[in-house]
Amino acid sequence: MARGDSYLKKRGDVYWVRFQYPPALQESACDLYGKVKWPKERAKSLGVTTLVEAEAKAAPFIADHKELLLYHTARNDDVNHWANMRAVWLKEPGRQVLADETQIVATELEIITIAPDGSVSTEPNRKRPKLDYTEWAQTQPPFQAAYQARRALTKVRDIDAEVIEAYMFDPRV
């Protein structure tokens, strides 16, 4: 993530991450996440006062946002055919027993989780859109940005070293 990313804002001493959703993007978010309504804006306090810490804590939120932007682009670009869209279940209907003996029963309407201690939880099951990105799409900047943002989350980071480096060399911290 570039320093001073426009998603990061400072209110007082604390950094926040903020995303805006125009109507067309709200529609894509509703489609992607199976919601009826999506807000015009989302903001979340990161609870940190240094830019390096803020970037580290904001990374998952920014990666999710970039994936939404990529989905929106693919969904609305009929000329370039970014991806092939297909519907997949959140949890494929059926029964599954995990190694810790947790049982998961999925129907077309809900996902029921039965823990070994007997506690039961449910959540709605639904089909969601899944994009299989074309080879052409994988060379485009929006795809690369979303891919790099998601990949950065899986890298092992030395936050202490980043904080020290920022403190010593970055006048903005």
Side-chain angles (χ1 to χ4, degrees):
M1 173 177 4
R3 291 209 177 268
D5 195 305
S6 63
Y7 299 120
L8 295 175
K9 305 292 179 202
K10 198 168 187 181
R11 291 185 191 167
D13 289 337
V14 178
Y15 278 92
W16 286 67
V17 64
R18 177 175 170 247
F19 305 104
Q20 294 180 313
Y21 303 95
L25 190 55
Q26 290 175 24
E27 184 181 317
S28 289
C30 288
D31 184 46
L32 180 62
Y33 299 118
K35 303 287 184 186
V36 175
K37 191 172 182 180
W38 197 260
K40 292 180 181 178
E41 177 179 311
R42 281 192 166 174
K44 178 176 179 42
S45 171
L46 299 172
V48 296
T49 57
T50 66
L51 181 59
V52 172
E53 289 176 306
E55 287 175 335
K57 287 190 96 173
F61 303 114
I62 293 171
D64 288 343
H65 185 69
K66 287 183 177 179
E67 286 177 348
L68 170 60
L69 293 175
L70 180 59
Y71 174 79
H72 174 72
T73 303
R75 178 177 181 254
N76 292 293
D77 189 346
D78 293 331
V79 175
N80 293 317
H81 306 290
W82 282 68
N84 301 311
M85 191 178 305
R86 60 187 169 95
V88 297
W89 289 101
L90 287 177
K91 188 72 173 173
E92 193 67 36
R95 183 183 196 101
Q96 179 182 14
V97 179
L98 304 178
D100 68 353
E101 297 185 15
T102 299
Q103 296 181 47
I104 301 173
V105 179
T107 68
E108 291 185 1
L109 299 177
E110 64 185 354
I111 302 167
I112 304 163
T113 304
I114 306 164
D117 66 3
S119 61
V120 177
S121 64
T122 63
E123 63 180 291
N125 197 9
R126 64 176 177 84
K127 285 195 169 185
R128 63 178 174 79
K130 175 158 177 35
L131 295 178
D132 296 319
Y133 293 100
T134 63
E135 207 172 297
W136 173 86
Q138 295 174 20
T139 65
Q140 301 306 303
F143 183 91
Q144 292 294 322
Y147 178 77
Q148 292 300 329
R150 183 56 63 199
R151 237 180 124 217
L153 293 178
T154 62
K155 290 182 181 175
V156 176
R157 297 178 67 186
D158 185 349
I159 301 296
D160 292 341
E162 290 179 23
V163 171
I164 292 168
E165 182 180 323
Y167 178 76
M168 293 175 66
F169 302 110
D170 191 342
R172 296 176 290 174
V173 176

